[in-house]
Amino acid sequence: MPPWAWRRAAGTLPEPAGFFADARLPLADHEIRHYGQIVAVVVAETLEQARDAAARVEVACETRPPNADFGRAKRHAVRPPEIPGLPLGRVIAKPEDVDIEAALAASEVRVEATYDVPPRHHMMMEPHAAVAAWDDGKLTIYSGTQGPVAHAMELAAVLGVPPADVHVISPYVGGGFGGKAFTWAPAMLAAAAARALGRPVKIVTSREQLFTVTGHRAASSQTIGLGAYRDGRLHAIKHHTVSESLVEDPGYRAAQKYYATPNAHIELSITPGMNLPPATIMRAPGDEAGSYALESAMDELADRLGMDPIELRVKNHLANTLIGGIPYASKHLEECYRVGAERFGWSRRPARPGSLTDGDDLVGMGMATAVLDAGRAPTTARVTFRPDGTATVACATSDAGTGMATIMAMTAARALGVPADRVVPALGDSRLPVAGADDIYGAIGSAATATVTAAILAAAREAIDALVRHAATAEGSPLRGAGDVRYEEGCLIGAGTCTGAGEARHEKGRLIGAGTSIGFGELLGLTGTAEIGADGTSTAPDDGHAHASYAAHFCEVRVNRWTREPRLSRFTTVVDAGAILNAVTARNQITGGVLFGLAAALCEEGRVEAATGRISNADLAGYLLPVSADAVEIDVHFLDHPDTGLGPAGARGIGELGTVGAAAAFANAVFNATGVRVRTLPITVDKLLG
């Protein structure tokens, strides 16, 4: 499902409150559903006054035992309601429906295990914050958001005003990871309080509140069954998931797009009515958790078969999607395996777990596959020429630290044939170009580059056409009346006779001679024109192919033989993500994604007290995150094969790709080092001492 359709399918537009979250608005009734829920807002002149006043608020309520224990709740999980557009509980069977248990039982080699993933929290350094002000019934709100236009629409729905009366300004988002993709209570309450008081209001969440008033990654428990022939060919895949939320559907996100099999059964159950803060999307929702379970199970199967894990994956290479049989376009995953194994030195991996030592360290190597659906959303961009010789490129998207502003400038510069330092990007504003109610795309779903670059290229073509027409017809243009005017590298060149034309030559936008060649800035100055520009709109492609980005991760770990402390020592990832438009920002995204996934393997988990529903480690002291001492230099290599079927720039998404499969690669390396298979994240010392 394309990421820009999530809100529509979930029914969250125009209704706000977060993706698949409890849709009740803050302060909408008198029931407290989870620990840390907002029950009041205190507004004061200073932060200190507000904090002191909030501490004096007393809440009287009746209490009852919470339903906050996921381990207990999953025993009573139920199938979720069907939501149009969301493929839940899919059954795949070829050539006819079969009993998945019978298919597994008929397999020559079988593994089955359950893999548990705890809740995770976005933990961006920059918390959710908003400054809201009203003027003549219209709202201007400065709010860190990954989707300015959707943010404006959601706030408008809450406040009961037309979307055009809400102006969202968000030039700097800070960290997001999906946590700022939807509208949460702090922004809603800032806007409501500002309207009630007739004064600007600022609300900034505390670190502890980030665990309770915004979303988190849902806990999940996945049962994987793999059946294979003795030569390694898969005969059946079972991927059954129990999750807190519909958003975390690891089975559909992983099992249907990794490996070929004639029989597969993907099922999701949820634990409704839990007294926990709402779950939402978090970097690679479903994909991260699903890849951990499936890729761990594949490693277990390889061990059971006595087969190299890469050989097992190549033998089950998937050319078409399991659901629908749609062929994948531009897929070079097998090359990722080959190049990665060579760069990493996979041939030195010990076949027998626990057999390679270095002093007091047990050394192990593991690998995993990463697959991430690639999409392109409808969006609009505007390219504008200005008299000072610069051009602007504008789009109502967002830059959550991914380098979107740089990509926008680079793409426009290439399309216009001018240096990038002459292009000024504008983004993070809901009033920048949009094309209709469906044009709500922001920094979400690893599709921003493919989406925005397609719109920029379309806008550049339209803007150049408008500039050429202006050069040939405008009063004061030295090219007026020219037979043919063309645009090259920032210049307008007349091929025929022009008014006042004489001998001339063209040197990078400067007019040398009587006027047959002129830079666009000088042209606009001579014609007294403030700007010439045009919009371009990109739509979702429909080329009959499935598009995805791929990676092969290779990980080496060292586990102290006495303390059993696991440490990352080497990591290589080879990426097939289409054309790489900016190698520096792309490498940064893959490195960040890998570390994000390794954090799940090493230390991250939200701990919920079953008796109270309180998150006991809701701070940076108790909620552990990797630090510099936990990291190594990540070896990242891009294949750089353009995928022009997805978009004219040939690029596919990478923002979330790195985190997919990273935890599994680490877990598989730990098994290779110790012979201990850990099926519950994170992989901590106590789990390796047993």
Side-chain angles (χ1 to χ4, degrees):
M1 180 180 187
W4 57 92
W6 283 341
R7 280 185 170 90
R8 294 289 183 196
T12 56
L13 275 181
E15 298 82 5
F19 177 56
F20 286 147
D22 187 331
R24 300 176 184 89
L25 300 177
L27 309 182
D29 57 30
H30 296 285
E31 185 174 352
I32 299 173
R33 294 174 177 82
H34 63 83
Y35 187 97
Q37 179 178 315
I38 296 173
V39 297
V41 177
V42 175
V43 181
E45 293 286 349
T46 69
L47 170 63
E48 292 75 16
Q49 290 172 344
R51 187 168 53 201
D52 182 66
R56 296 170 184 265
V57 174
E58 295 183 1
V59 179
C61 60
E62 297 179 5
T63 64
R64 59 179 181 268
N67 175 19
D69 186 342
F70 179 69
R72 178 179 299 173
K74 71 182 184 181
R75 296 198 292 266
H76 307 287
V78 299
R79 288 290 302 277
E82 293 295 328
I83 296 179
L86 287 178
L88 304 172
R90 290 290 191 130
V91 178
I92 313 160
K94 300 173 183 177
E96 58 187 359
D97 289 348
V98 297
D99 183 336
I100 191 64
E101 297 299 336
L104 288 168
S107 303
E108 294 177 336
V109 179
R110 176 180 178 178
V111 297
E112 186 163 342
T114 297
Y115 304 85
D116 293 317
V117 178
R120 286 182 73 192
H121 297 267
H122 298 85
M123 297 305 290
M124 67 286 291
M125 288 299 296
E126 305 81 3
H128 290 250
V131 177
W134 291 81
D135 183 19
D136 194 25
K138 297 183 179 181
L139 171 66
T140 298
I141 185 164
Y142 299 83
S143 176
T145 174
Q146 293 175 239
V149 176
H151 198 48
M153 294 175 68
E154 290 172 340
L155 285 168
V158 172
L159 300 165
V161 299
D165 289 350
V166 179
H167 183 193
V168 173
I169 301 173
S170 182
Y172 305 107
V173 179
F177 315 119
K180 294 177 182 173
F182 298 90
T183 302
W184 298 96
M188 299 179 199
L189 294 174
R195 181 164 61 177
L197 296 173
R199 296 180 60 183
V201 170
K202 175 171 70 173
I203 290 182
V204 181
T205 54
S206 69
R207 178 59 55 181
E208 184 176 3
Q209 287 171 333
L210 286 177
F211 287 78
T212 57
V213 304
T214 62
H216 67 279
R217 167 162 282 157
S220 64
S221 180
Q222 305 168 64
T223 297
I224 303 285
L226 299 178
Y229 300 101
R230 295 199 183 278
D231 64 1
R233 288 177 296 119
L234 284 170
H235 179 62
I237 298 176
K238 177 177 79 172
H239 197 147
H240 291 183
T241 301
V242 179
S243 174
E244 283 179 50
S245 166
L246 289 170
V247 66
E248 202 71 26
D249 183 1
Y252 174 72
R253 303 292 289 178
Q256 61 97 14
K257 58 189 177 185
Y258 272 66
Y259 304 112
T261 181
N263 307 296
H265 191 280
I266 305 169
E267 186 173 284
L268 173 68
S269 299
I270 59 171
T271 55
M274 295 196 72
N275 299 119
L276 297 172
T280 189
I281 61 173
M282 186 174 179
R283 198 173 199 166
D287 286 295
E288 185 193 78
S291 64
Y292 161 65
L294 180 60
E295 288 300 278
S296 294
M298 284 291 284
D299 198 69
E300 295 201 41
L301 179 61
D303 183 64
R304 184 76 58 84
L305 290 165
M307 180 178 290
D308 184 279
I310 295 178
E311 181 186 355
L312 177 64
R313 286 162 172 81
V314 171
K315 189 174 286 288
N316 293 285
H317 183 75
L318 184 63
N320 304 310
T321 61
L322 281 182
I323 297 177
I326 303 170
Y328 281 109
S330 185
K331 182 175 183 179
H332 303 276
L333 179 56
E334 290 176 302
E335 186 179 352
C336 291
Y337 294 140
R338 185 176 67 256
V339 173
E342 200 172 296
R343 292 176 69 93
F344 182 77
W346 181 254
S347 61
R348 298 193 297 273
R349 171 184 175 268
R352 183 168 59 85
S355 61
L356 180 61
T357 62
D358 182 8
D360 285 339
D361 288 337
L362 302 171
V363 182
M365 302 181 195
M367 60 83 56
T369 301
V371 182
L372 182 76
D373 287 337
R376 198 179 99 207
T379 200
T380 302
R382 178 179 299 146
V383 171
T384 305
F385 295 101
R386 299 199 178 276
D388 62 0
T390 65
T392 62
V393 55
C395 182
T397 187
S398 188
D399 191 336
T402 56
M404 176 48 62
T406 303
I407 287 293
M408 288 174 62
M410 291 176 59
T411 302
R414 289 168 180 162
L416 301 178
V418 300
D421 60 7
R422 286 177 58 189
V423 178
V424 180
L427 73 172
D429 190 316
S430 63
R431 291 189 177 172
L432 290 175
V434 294
D438 287 329
D439 189 354
I440 63 170
Y441 193 73
I444 181 174
S446 294
T449 296
T451 294
V452 174
T453 53
I456 290 172
L457 293 173
R461 290 192 297 270
E462 294 296 326
I464 289 171
D465 289 345
L467 185 67
V468 167
R469 290 193 298 271
H470 180 77
T473 60
E475 189 73 36
S477 168
L479 296 176
R480 186 182 182 193
D484 291 303
V485 177
R486 69 183 188 276
Y487 175 93
E488 288 184 11
E489 298 181 335
C491 298
L492 286 304
I493 305 169
T497 302
C498 328
T499 303
E503 293 298 323
R505 67 183 185 276
H506 166 222
E507 292 183 4
K508 293 292 183 183
R510 295 182 60 207
L511 177 63
I512 308 297
T516 56
S517 174
I518 186 170
F520 67 78
E522 187 175 358
L523 171 69
L524 296 180
L526 290 173
T527 60
T529 306
E531 63 180 40
I532 291 285
D535 290 353
T537 298
S538 161
T539 59
D542 183 15
D543 64 348
H545 287 81
H547 297 270
S549 292
Y550 312 91
H553 297 313
F554 297 83
C555 179
E556 180 187 87
V557 302
R558 291 171 177 263
V559 181
N560 186 281
R561 67 167 67 244
W562 310 113
T563 67
R564 293 289 166 162
E565 178 189 7
R567 290 178 293 111
L568 175 69
S569 53
R570 285 193 302 128
F571 202 100
T572 292
T573 183
V574 177
V575 177
D576 172 28
I580 303 303
L581 305 184
N582 185 321
V584 173
T585 56
R587 186 177 305 278
N588 180 64
Q589 284 300 291
I590 292 296
T591 298
V594 167
L595 292 172
F596 199 92
L598 290 173
L602 282 164
C603 52
E604 277 199 63
E605 62 174 326
R607 301 192 189 106
V608 179
E609 292 179 346
T612 64
R614 185 178 78 94
I615 300 171
S616 64
N617 60 336
D619 53 46
L620 284 173
Y623 188 91
L624 300 182
L625 294 164
V627 296
S628 296
D630 298 309
V632 297
E633 185 73 22
I634 308 296
D635 173 30
V636 179
H637 178 74
F638 295 105
L639 298 185
D640 202 11
H641 297 307
D643 184 357
T644 54
L646 182 63
R652 296 195 299 259
I654 59 174
E656 299 166 284
L657 179 65
T659 195
V660 180
F666 186 89
N668 295 338
V670 167
F671 171 75
N672 185 247
T674 65
V676 178
R677 181 71 66 178
V678 179
R679 300 190 182 96
T680 299
L681 295 181
I683 300 172
T684 48
V685 169
D686 57 304
K687 295 168 186 171
L688 294 174
L689 285 172

